[in-house]
Short mmCIF file of all heavy atoms in Angstrom, two decimals:
data_model
loop_
_atom_site.label_atom_id
_atom_site.label_comp_id
_atom_site.label_asym_id
_atom_site.label_seq_id
_atom_site.Cartn_x
_atom_site.Cartn_y
_atom_site.Cartn_z
N THR A 100 116.94 149.77 48.01
CA THR A 100 116.88 149.83 46.59
C THR A 100 118.08 150.71 46.04
O THR A 100 118.49 151.71 46.64
CB THR A 100 115.53 150.68 46.11
OG1 THR A 100 114.47 149.91 46.43
CG2 THR A 100 115.63 150.97 44.53
N LEU A 101 118.70 150.27 45.04
CA LEU A 101 119.85 150.90 44.37
C LEU A 101 119.32 151.74 43.27
O LEU A 101 118.77 151.28 42.22
CB LEU A 101 120.81 149.88 43.87
CG LEU A 101 122.01 150.45 43.06
CD1 LEU A 101 122.93 151.33 44.02
CD2 LEU A 101 122.87 149.31 42.42
N CYS A 102 119.31 153.07 43.41
CA CYS A 102 118.79 154.16 42.46
C CYS A 102 119.94 154.75 41.62
O CYS A 102 120.86 155.21 42.30
CB CYS A 102 117.99 155.12 43.23
SG CYS A 102 116.56 154.69 44.11
N ILE A 103 119.85 154.65 40.33
CA ILE A 103 120.83 155.19 39.37
C ILE A 103 120.10 156.24 38.50
O ILE A 103 119.28 155.75 37.63
CB ILE A 103 121.54 154.12 38.57
CG1 ILE A 103 122.06 153.05 39.55
CG2 ILE A 103 122.59 154.70 37.67
CD1 ILE A 103 122.60 151.72 38.74
N ASP A 104 120.50 157.38 38.54
CA ASP A 104 119.78 158.41 37.76
C ASP A 104 120.88 158.86 36.66
O ASP A 104 121.88 159.43 36.90
CB ASP A 104 119.43 159.66 38.58
CG ASP A 104 118.78 160.69 37.66
OD1 ASP A 104 117.96 160.31 36.83
OD2 ASP A 104 118.96 161.87 37.84
N SER A 105 120.50 158.58 35.38
CA SER A 105 121.29 158.84 34.26
C SER A 105 120.84 160.25 33.56
O SER A 105 121.39 160.54 32.47
CB SER A 105 121.38 157.78 33.28
OG SER A 105 122.09 156.74 33.83
N SER A 106 119.91 160.92 34.12
CA SER A 106 119.48 162.21 33.65
C SER A 106 120.58 163.21 33.80
O SER A 106 121.40 163.23 34.72
CB SER A 106 118.20 162.65 34.30
OG SER A 106 117.24 161.68 34.56
N THR A 107 120.60 164.22 32.88
CA THR A 107 121.61 165.27 33.02
C THR A 107 120.72 166.59 33.69
O THR A 107 120.00 167.08 32.96
CB THR A 107 122.15 165.81 31.71
OG1 THR A 107 122.79 164.64 31.10
CG2 THR A 107 123.06 166.87 31.81
N ILE A 108 120.97 166.84 34.94
CA ILE A 108 120.22 167.78 35.75
C ILE A 108 121.16 168.59 36.56
O ILE A 108 122.37 168.43 36.49
CB ILE A 108 119.23 167.02 36.59
CG1 ILE A 108 119.84 166.21 37.62
CG2 ILE A 108 118.22 166.18 35.74
CD1 ILE A 108 118.99 165.64 38.66
N ASP A 109 120.65 169.55 37.24
CA ASP A 109 121.37 170.44 38.13
C ASP A 109 121.99 169.55 39.24
O ASP A 109 121.28 168.81 39.98
CB ASP A 109 120.43 171.44 38.84
CG ASP A 109 121.03 172.53 39.60
OD1 ASP A 109 122.19 172.23 40.15
OD2 ASP A 109 120.54 173.70 39.60
N PRO A 110 123.33 169.54 39.54
CA PRO A 110 123.93 168.79 40.56
C PRO A 110 123.31 169.06 41.91
O PRO A 110 123.17 168.08 42.70
CB PRO A 110 125.43 169.25 40.58
CG PRO A 110 125.64 169.80 39.14
CD PRO A 110 124.31 170.33 38.63
N SER A 111 122.84 170.20 42.27
CA SER A 111 122.19 170.55 43.55
C SER A 111 120.88 169.70 43.67
O SER A 111 120.59 169.28 44.76
CB SER A 111 121.98 171.94 43.59
OG SER A 111 120.97 172.53 42.80
N VAL A 112 120.14 169.64 42.58
CA VAL A 112 118.87 168.86 42.66
C VAL A 112 119.17 167.37 42.84
O VAL A 112 118.53 166.66 43.61
CB VAL A 112 118.10 169.03 41.37
CG1 VAL A 112 116.85 168.00 41.23
CG2 VAL A 112 117.58 170.46 41.15
N SER A 113 120.21 166.85 42.14
CA SER A 113 120.62 165.54 42.40
C SER A 113 121.10 165.25 43.76
O SER A 113 120.71 164.10 44.34
CB SER A 113 121.85 165.12 41.35
OG SER A 113 122.16 163.80 41.45
N LYS A 114 121.80 166.11 44.45
CA LYS A 114 122.24 165.95 45.71
C LYS A 114 120.97 165.90 46.79
O LYS A 114 120.96 165.09 47.66
CB LYS A 114 123.22 166.93 46.17
CG LYS A 114 124.56 166.90 45.54
CD LYS A 114 125.48 168.06 45.92
CE LYS A 114 126.85 168.01 45.13
NZ LYS A 114 127.67 169.16 45.64
N SER A 115 120.05 166.71 46.39
CA SER A 115 118.82 166.76 47.23
C SER A 115 118.02 165.42 47.15
O SER A 115 117.59 164.84 48.09
CB SER A 115 117.82 167.91 46.74
OG SER A 115 116.55 167.81 47.52
N ILE A 116 118.02 164.94 45.84
CA ILE A 116 117.31 163.55 45.74
C ILE A 116 118.01 162.48 46.35
O ILE A 116 117.52 161.60 46.99
CB ILE A 116 117.16 163.31 44.18
CG1 ILE A 116 116.25 164.36 43.47
CG2 ILE A 116 116.58 161.91 44.00
CD1 ILE A 116 114.81 164.25 44.00
N ALA A 117 119.37 162.55 46.31
CA ALA A 117 120.17 161.49 46.88
C ALA A 117 120.04 161.46 48.50
O ALA A 117 119.90 160.37 49.07
CB ALA A 117 121.68 161.78 46.62
N SER A 118 119.80 162.58 49.01
CA SER A 118 119.48 162.72 50.51
C SER A 118 118.16 162.12 50.82
O SER A 118 118.01 161.32 51.85
CB SER A 118 119.57 164.24 50.93
OG SER A 118 119.25 164.33 52.31
N GLN A 119 117.17 162.33 50.02
CA GLN A 119 115.81 161.84 50.20
C GLN A 119 115.88 160.38 50.05
O GLN A 119 115.14 159.66 50.78
CB GLN A 119 114.80 162.43 49.21
CG GLN A 119 114.59 164.06 49.46
CD GLN A 119 113.55 164.61 48.55
OE1 GLN A 119 112.55 164.24 48.47
NE2 GLN A 119 114.20 165.42 47.63
N VAL A 120 116.52 159.83 49.06
CA VAL A 120 116.68 158.43 48.82
C VAL A 120 117.32 157.74 50.00
O VAL A 120 116.77 156.67 50.53
CB VAL A 120 117.32 158.13 47.52
CG1 VAL A 120 117.69 156.63 47.47
CG2 VAL A 120 116.58 158.46 46.35
N GLU A 121 118.29 158.26 50.53
CA GLU A 121 119.07 157.71 51.72
C GLU A 121 118.13 157.64 52.92
O GLU A 121 118.10 156.70 53.52
CB GLU A 121 120.32 158.52 51.92
CG GLU A 121 121.16 158.04 53.16
CD GLU A 121 122.39 158.85 53.33
OE1 GLU A 121 122.73 159.65 52.58
OE2 GLU A 121 123.04 158.62 54.36
N LYS A 122 117.34 158.68 53.05
CA LYS A 122 116.41 158.73 54.17
C LYS A 122 115.34 157.68 54.17
O LYS A 122 114.80 157.10 55.07
CB LYS A 122 115.75 160.13 54.35
CG LYS A 122 116.69 161.26 54.77
CD LYS A 122 115.99 162.59 54.85
CE LYS A 122 117.00 163.71 55.35
NZ LYS A 122 116.44 165.03 55.31
N ALA A 123 114.87 157.36 52.87
CA ALA A 123 114.03 156.28 52.57
C ALA A 123 114.57 154.91 52.60
O ALA A 123 113.89 153.98 52.36
CB ALA A 123 113.34 156.57 51.16
N GLY A 124 115.96 154.83 52.88
CA GLY A 124 116.55 153.54 53.05
C GLY A 124 117.21 153.06 51.78
O GLY A 124 117.67 151.83 51.68
N GLY A 125 117.35 153.84 50.74
CA GLY A 125 118.01 153.43 49.47
C GLY A 125 119.39 154.05 49.26
O GLY A 125 119.95 154.68 50.17
N LEU A 126 120.00 153.74 48.13
CA LEU A 126 121.28 154.28 47.77
C LEU A 126 121.07 154.95 46.34
O LEU A 126 120.31 154.47 45.47
CB LEU A 126 122.26 153.06 47.66
CG LEU A 126 122.53 152.23 48.81
CD1 LEU A 126 123.36 150.99 48.39
CD2 LEU A 126 123.38 153.01 49.67
N PHE A 127 121.71 156.12 46.28
CA PHE A 127 121.45 156.95 45.04
C PHE A 127 122.83 157.27 44.35
O PHE A 127 123.81 157.66 45.12
CB PHE A 127 120.79 158.17 45.42
CG PHE A 127 120.44 159.05 44.15
CD1 PHE A 127 119.23 158.86 43.47
CD2 PHE A 127 121.31 160.09 43.69
CE1 PHE A 127 118.96 159.79 42.43
CE2 PHE A 127 120.97 160.83 42.73
CZ PHE A 127 119.89 160.63 42.03
#
Side-chain angles (χ1 to χ4, degrees):
T100 297
L101 178 61
C102 298
I103 303 169
D104 181 41
S105 288
S106 315
T107 301
I108 62 172
D109 187 328
S111 66
V112 172
S113 184
K114 291 178 182 179
S115 174
I116 297 296
S118 178
Q119 294 179 66
V120 168
E121 184 177 349
K122 289 178 181 177
L126 299 166
F127 182 90

